[in-house]
Amino acid sequence: MRRTWTPWRLLALVMGLAGLAWAFDPAGVVQQMEEARRLYESHRPDEASRLYEQLIAAGYDDPVIWFNLGNARFQSGKLGRAVVAFRRAWRLAPRDPDIRHNLRAAIEHGSAVSPSRRWYERGWETVSAEEASRWGWTAWWIGWAAVAVALGWSSHPVRRVAWRVALAAGLFAVWCAAAVAHWHALDAECVVVQPDQAARFAPLPDARVFFTLPEGSVVEVMETRGEWVRVRADTREGWIRSDAIEPVTG
Amino acid sequence: MRTIWIQRAWLGVWLSATAWCAEPSVEFDVQPRAAVVGETVTAILTVREQPNPPVPDLPVPEGFRLIGMQPQQTVNIVNGVLQQAVSFRFLLRAEREGRYTIGPFRYKIGSKSFDLPGVQVDIVAASGAATPTAAHAIARLRISKPTVYVHEQFQLAVDLLYRGVELDRQVELAGLPESGLKLDGFMELPARREVVDGQVYEVRTFQSTARALASGEITLEPILRVRAIVGRRGRRGGDPWNELFENFFRDTPWDQTERRVVELRAAPVVLTVRPLPTEGRPESFSGAVGACTWDVDVHPTEVTVGEPITITMVIRGDANLDVVQPPKLDLGPAFRTYDIRSVPPSGSSAPARERVFEQVVIPRDQTVREIPALSFSYFDPEQGVYRTLTRGPFPLVIQPATNTASVVVRSTGTSQGMVVAEGVELRHLKATPSQFRRAAQRTSELGRNWVHVVPVLAAGLVGLWARRRDRRLHDPVWARRVRATKEARNILQQLERSLKRGEVGPFYETLWKGWTEYFGDRFNLAEGEADPSHILAAMGPNVDDHVRQQLEELYRACLDVRFAGAQPSPEQMSAQLDAFRSVVRWCEQRLER
């Protein structure tokens, strides 16, 4: 019997090859991670950082890589950049206790400013943007399926249950959408990566200093004007040089 | 019983001891300091912490007559300390108008003597006081300095002077600029009297500490709004009980007093605000304007590398301390410095006259020998110059650290290793996972995919279908009408097929079936009612004549073939098919669905 290469078979073949490539790790990511670990434990954090940063530059956006990079940067005394890495890892895996611990420890070590959160914002930050998106869309589908059942089913008890499921799924989807929006709002977050940056009243080098931002402070960028950015640190706003901060989301 | 006597004895000893230990003090005052002839003023000499003081020999000026003296003793225990005072109240009746000074005089208690200053008292003629004038109440603004520097503190007082009119206690202050001037809360000073244009006025003063925020000229023209009591409803004059009840019911629906709001505008006062000079401004100037002192404390001074040292800086004085920035400390790379934090004042007694700043620094190595000298600058508005206060250097003894810079330890109770780096305990590196996520894998952008519209559409379609189903169940007339259209379409197709084949019998059987089913369902007719008369009646009055004629011809043709054995030609069959199609189309298009 003669086999023909239909589009479906070709697609299956391509996907299978991609899966194999993923499974066998052709880029040597695992080896690179192990090498970075060895360097870190040999007190060569700068070289370990470089390896982790190479992985990130290659397109890997994994909380483990960011977390380990944060540790390496912290060990080499780059407090601000360590906070960037920990913060990035926390955005990807916000419930990870190790990431939360190291992020908090790094911020407290530098007496840095970190944004305060309201109770509902802390609730949103228990799930990552990716999780919130995935769960939210799942709830969206379940909710509408329940609506369809409630509309189309003739049995009243089934319809009642379906309406309740639809309501619960809808509320959960709204909560997830709010969480995603919250995470997107945090895209403007940056970290002060140079020690003791003076936040000034105006974007001028001789403007009066309003307050000082220690290295590792997490700030929100409000406005950019030339080489100056207006940042908000908790409740205060001031102008600092743009090269003194680094965005968390890259 | 014996215990009680012992307690009393101890109390007596304690009271005597506190009285003996305290240093006596004497105060002298005269109230009121403005009066009309015939009124009595009281000169009060108060002796504190002196039991049984001698009666003073008060010099009485010529315009007064001493009409009596009342000694008064008060004993208070404040925070466990006995405070006793004896007041001698001399009642002096004013005999003549003029400005008099009561005192100065010397008061002796044993071997100690106190020189008491004179107090000036204005006495006006009784006839002048009784003369009614148009202005019974006026507002007046006073500022302690007509020219100030930016952020320099000054006193701003608004006086309410009134005579011959009774005013409410509540006073509203308005008209002060809302920007450019920072005012602390207004405080009412003790009431007093004052002679203005030969008239004695009662004076209430509201005072605030102010500060200009920008240079330039500010015109101050405050307005006082106060309610004047113009009468009382049903008052029995002079009754103290009535007065008591009026006070009790004030500002309640049972208040019997009639009031009128009086707006008093003070004469404008121009305040000139000068900018701080830029020349000679020290680098350590952080915004303090006023008279300041500065203390610095460093502790501990003997630490090991990595241990914190707290630098406490206290700024005191009459200055704009609430906006003073902490002094910037540049300790160089030898120290890791934490952010300076402002410490709230420990006691409530010194709210705005003291600012405390703390900074924690950590020596990086044992070569550090001292914290260098620290400077604080402020602007002295009295002299118009910047002043710099320097404290230190502060010697330190730094011991080398006992641990290495980074030590990996295993903590109990968790699989995660701990690493101590720069004195901070961090969780160790995470194990390499079997799979890594790529940035492109993230599904948070899934929201832009239109596929998520599908469930909404599906639910909508299901909803429409369910609605149609329910209507079909609950509305049989509508259901038959909907079914009629489909039946007509099928019948017409069957008729076309029969016509093509030239089958006369089946053609007319199908035509009859179509006739009864279509018109029966279309007009909800009962079985047997599908004749032209019922159909035309169901169609209503606006039926076209050709439709009426076609209906009757079709009905007759069916009867002729079915019951009379007629054999129509194919042309007749075709014409009758067209007639049936025409009638159906007319019904579908022209009649209500």
Side-chain angles (χ1 to χ4, degrees):
Chain A
M1 194 172 73
R2 187 183 168 215
R3 291 197 172 188
T4 54
W5 291 103
T6 62
W8 288 112
R9 285 181 180 170
L10 280 172
L11 183 64
L13 179 67
V14 169
M15 289 183 71
L17 288 174
L20 281 173
W22 181 260
F24 282 106
D25 183 26
V29 183
V30 176
Q31 287 84 346
Q32 205 165 336
M33 287 287 285
E34 290 305 317
E35 176 63 13
R37 171 186 287 273
R38 192 185 61 75
L39 289 168
Y40 175 84
E41 290 178 350
S42 311
H43 302 293
R44 292 157 68 187
D46 287 330
E47 294 168 61
S49 297
R50 211 166 298 125
L51 285 182
Y52 289 128
E53 284 164 355
Q54 281 175 7
L55 287 173
I56 290 163
Y60 290 96
D61 191 23
D62 196 277
V64 173
I65 300 176
W66 283 106
F67 175 84
N68 290 357
L69 174 62
N71 273 20
R73 283 176 174 174
F74 191 89
Q75 199 185 37
S76 57
K78 296 170 184 167
L79 176 64
R81 294 185 195 283
V83 172
V84 171
F86 286 138
R87 193 86 180 166
R88 180 71 188 159
W90 171 73
R91 286 178 65 102
L92 294 171
R95 293 187 304 282
D96 188 305
D98 300 329
I99 295 172
R100 291 162 68 102
H101 176 274
N102 282 13
L103 174 62
R104 190 171 56 245
I107 288 175
E108 285 176 358
H109 176 65
S111 294
V113 180
S114 109
S116 56
R117 293 277 186 264
R118 298 184 185 89
W119 61 270
Y120 52 87
E121 291 174 322
R122 287 197 295 273
W124 291 331
E125 289 172 1
T126 57
V127 295
S128 67
E130 188 183 348
E131 288 170 332
S133 177
R134 196 185 305 138
W135 297 352
W137 284 122
T138 306
W140 170 265
W141 280 80
I142 291 172
W144 281 109
V147 168
V149 170
L151 289 174
W153 209 271
S154 54
S155 162
H156 281 288
V158 173
R159 293 174 71 163
R160 196 163 52 239
V161 171
W163 278 124
R164 287 176 184 174
V165 170
L167 180 66
L171 290 175
F172 184 67
V174 168
W175 185 86
C176 288
V180 172
H182 174 67
W183 283 113
H184 280 305
L186 293 187
D187 285 349
E189 269 190 354
C190 288
V191 176
V192 178
V193 294
Q194 291 178 10
D196 294 337
Q197 286 301 300
R200 299 173 186 276
F201 280 104
L204 297 168
D206 55 350
R208 195 172 152 200
V209 175
F210 182 21
F211 57 94
T212 305
L213 285 168
E215 185 180 2
S217 296
V218 181
V219 297
E220 184 185 352
V221 174
M222 312 295 292
E223 182 184 352
T224 302
R225 196 177 295 176
E227 58 185 6
W228 292 86
V229 287
R230 184 163 61 91
V231 297
R232 180 162 64 195
D234 220 358
T235 56
R236 296 178 296 182
E237 290 183 14
W239 292 87
I240 64 172
R241 296 184 64 86
S242 58
D243 56 2
I245 57 171
E246 191 172 301
V248 174
T249 51
Chain B
M1 192 66 182
R2 188 182 168 193
T3 310
I4 292 171
W5 279 110
I6 290 172
Q7 286 175 349
R8 286 181 181 176
W10 272 113
L11 180 64
V13 170
W14 173 64
L15 290 175
S16 305
T18 49
W20 184 75
C21 292
E23 192 71 19
S25 63
V26 181
E27 294 167 11
F28 179 62
D29 191 19
V30 178
Q31 287 296 336
R33 296 187 183 186
V36 296
V37 172
E39 274 192 327
T40 301
V41 299
T42 308
I44 307 164
L45 188 138
T46 306
V47 184
R48 300 185 192 281
E49 313 306 342
Q50 177 63 47
N52 302 319
V55 177
D57 184 14
L58 181 75
V60 180
E62 279 189 8
F64 290 94
R65 184 163 59 88
L66 179 64
I67 59 172
M69 193 276 288
Q70 300 168 346
Q72 188 177 355
Q73 185 164 9
T74 55
V75 177
N76 294 315
I77 298 175
V78 179
N79 295 330
V81 177
L82 179 75
Q83 294 178 349
Q84 55 179 337
V86 177
S87 298
F88 298 98
R89 305 167 69 88
F90 294 90
L91 305 177
L92 304 169
R93 184 187 298 277
E95 299 278 317
R96 289 203 305 271
E97 61 179 307
R99 174 168 287 183
Y100 301 97
T101 303
I102 301 175
F105 64 102
R106 178 167 290 181
Y107 178 61
K108 285 190 174 179
I109 304 174
S111 60
K112 293 182 181 174
S113 61
F114 299 89
D115 288 319
L116 302 171
V119 177
Q120 195 170 286
V121 180
D122 288 320
I123 305 297
V124 297
S127 57
T131 305
T133 56
H136 288 294
I138 52 177
R140 184 177 62 190
L141 172 68
R142 291 180 290 124
I143 53 176
S144 58
K145 289 179 175 182
T147 303
V148 295
Y149 284 95
V150 172
H151 284 297
E152 180 187 350
Q153 289 187 337
F154 62 96
Q155 298 299 319
L156 185 148
V158 183
D159 294 328
L160 170 61
L161 300 94
Y162 61 99
R163 56 179 294 276
V165 64
E166 195 177 350
L167 300 178
D168 239 2
R169 292 297 304 165
Q170 195 172 349
V171 178
E172 185 184 338
L173 177 63
L176 287 170
E178 293 181 355
S179 62
L181 193 69
K182 185 177 185 304
L183 293 165
D184 293 343
F186 275 88
M187 184 178 66
E188 185 170 0
L189 302 182
R192 58 193 168 84
R193 278 183 171 187
E194 193 177 319
V195 175
V196 178
D197 295 336
Q199 306 286 340
V200 176
Y201 281 84
E202 303 288 335
V203 183
R204 291 173 64 189
T205 301
F206 306 92
Q207 186 172 298
S208 169
T209 302
R211 198 170 73 226
L213 303 177
S215 59
E217 285 195 344
I218 303 173
T219 303
L220 305 170
E221 195 175 1
I223 299 167
L224 287 177
R225 288 195 193 95
V226 61
R227 290 192 297 177
I229 297 172
V230 295
R232 288 181 167 81
R233 292 187 289 269
R235 172 174 181 176
R236 296 188 301 274
D239 187 353
W241 287 105
N242 209 22
E243 191 86 22
L244 179 68
F245 279 111
E246 277 176 3
N247 288 334
F248 183 77
F249 289 113
R250 180 164 290 178
D251 292 329
T252 68
W254 299 277
D255 191 355
Q256 292 292 306
T257 53
E258 293 177 20
R259 295 181 173 84
R260 194 180 65 204
V261 176
V262 180
E263 196 170 275
L264 306 168
R265 188 179 294 270
V269 173
V270 176
L271 175 72
T272 305
V273 185
R274 291 190 288 183
L276 295 179
T278 52
E279 191 179 342
R281 181 181 293 180
E283 215 163 286
S284 56
F285 176 67
S286 61
V289 178
C292 299
T293 62
W294 193 42
D295 294 322
V296 179
D297 178 50
V298 175
H299 75 277
T301 52
E302 292 187 17
V303 294
T304 57
V305 171
E307 283 187 350
I309 298 170
T310 304
I311 303 173
T312 306
M313 294 161 281
V314 183
I315 303 169
R316 296 189 184 89
D318 286 327
N320 53 338
L321 295 183
D322 54 332
V323 296
V324 167
Q325 297 289 317
K328 190 191 284 183
L329 307 184
D330 185 11
L331 302 179
F335 291 92
R336 170 180 285 278
T337 55
Y338 286 71
D339 207 11
I340 294 181
R341 68 187 189 95
S342 177
V343 180
S346 53
S348 59
S349 58
R353 294 174 57 85
E354 181 178 295
R355 283 293 297 275
V356 181
F357 296 102
E358 271 188 8
Q359 178 158 34
V360 175
V361 299
I362 295 177
R364 293 183 189 272
D365 56 58
Q366 67 269 27
T367 59
V368 176
R369 292 284 173 267
E370 64 178 21
I371 287 178
L374 308 174
S375 298
F376 169 73
S377 297
Y378 66 96
F379 182 72
D380 183 355
E382 297 299 330
Q383 303 298 323
V385 294
Y386 289 98
R387 299 190 186 282
T388 300
L389 305 172
T390 303
R391 302 286 181 266
F394 303 92
L396 299 175
V397 178
I398 310 294
Q399 303 294 337
T402 53
N403 59 343
T404 58
S406 175
V407 182
V408 178
V409 295
R410 286 280 164 196
S411 66
T412 56
T414 171
S415 60
Q416 185 70 38
M418 306 293 285
V419 59
V420 178
E422 300 209 6
V424 179
E425 195 179 61
L426 290 181
R427 302 271 167 91
H428 194 43
L429 298 185
K430 282 180 174 293
T432 303
S434 59
Q435 284 192 344
F436 292 88
R437 277 190 293 186
R438 284 176 173 271
Q441 274 188 295
R442 297 211 314 273
T443 55
S444 58
E445 303 300 323
L446 207 59
R448 294 178 188 167
N449 201 330
W450 285 99
V451 74
H452 298 298
V453 181
V454 170
V456 186
L457 294 175
L461 290 173
V462 169
L464 287 175
W465 168 80
R467 190 178 166 191
R468 201 176 173 86
R469 178 201 60 192
D470 292 344
R471 191 171 181 187
R472 197 179 298 132
L473 287 173
H474 298 106
D475 188 355
V477 176
W478 178 84
R480 289 187 74 183
R481 193 178 299 164
V482 171
R483 195 167 59 212
T485 309
K486 287 182 188 172
E487 288 166 350
R489 202 176 296 129
N490 292 335
I491 294 293
L492 284 170
Q493 287 172 356
Q494 288 177 28
L495 288 172
E496 282 171 359
R497 280 198 294 271
S498 300
L499 182 64
K500 275 183 186 173
R501 291 174 193 152
E503 300 166 344
V504 177
F507 178 87
Y508 283 97
E509 283 301 319
T510 305
L511 185 60
W512 178 250
K513 182 184 169 201
W515 174 282
T516 54
E517 286 186 355
Y518 174 73
F519 290 114
D521 287 342
R522 183 67 181 77
F523 301 112
N524 194 31
L525 301 174
E527 202 169 350
E529 288 182 349
D531 53 40
S533 62
H534 283 92
I535 293 169
L536 287 170
M539 280 179 171
N542 301 321
V543 182
D544 292 349
D545 288 340
H546 76 277
V547 174
R548 187 187 302 274
Q549 189 180 345
Q550 282 174 332
L551 265 177
E552 287 170 352
E553 285 176 5
L554 279 171
Y555 186 72
R556 200 178 309 118
C558 286
L559 292 180
D560 288 347
V561 172
R562 292 182 69 212
F563 302 112
Q567 287 292 322
S569 64
E571 289 76 20
Q572 287 175 316
M573 289 166 63
S574 176
Q576 283 157 0
L577 174 61
D578 290 341
F580 184 70
R581 186 183 288 119
S582 172
V583 170
V584 168
R585 189 176 294 138
W586 187 89
C587 289
E588 293 300 315
Q589 289 177 352
R590 301 287 294 275
L591 295 180
E592 185 191 356
R593 287 184 64 82

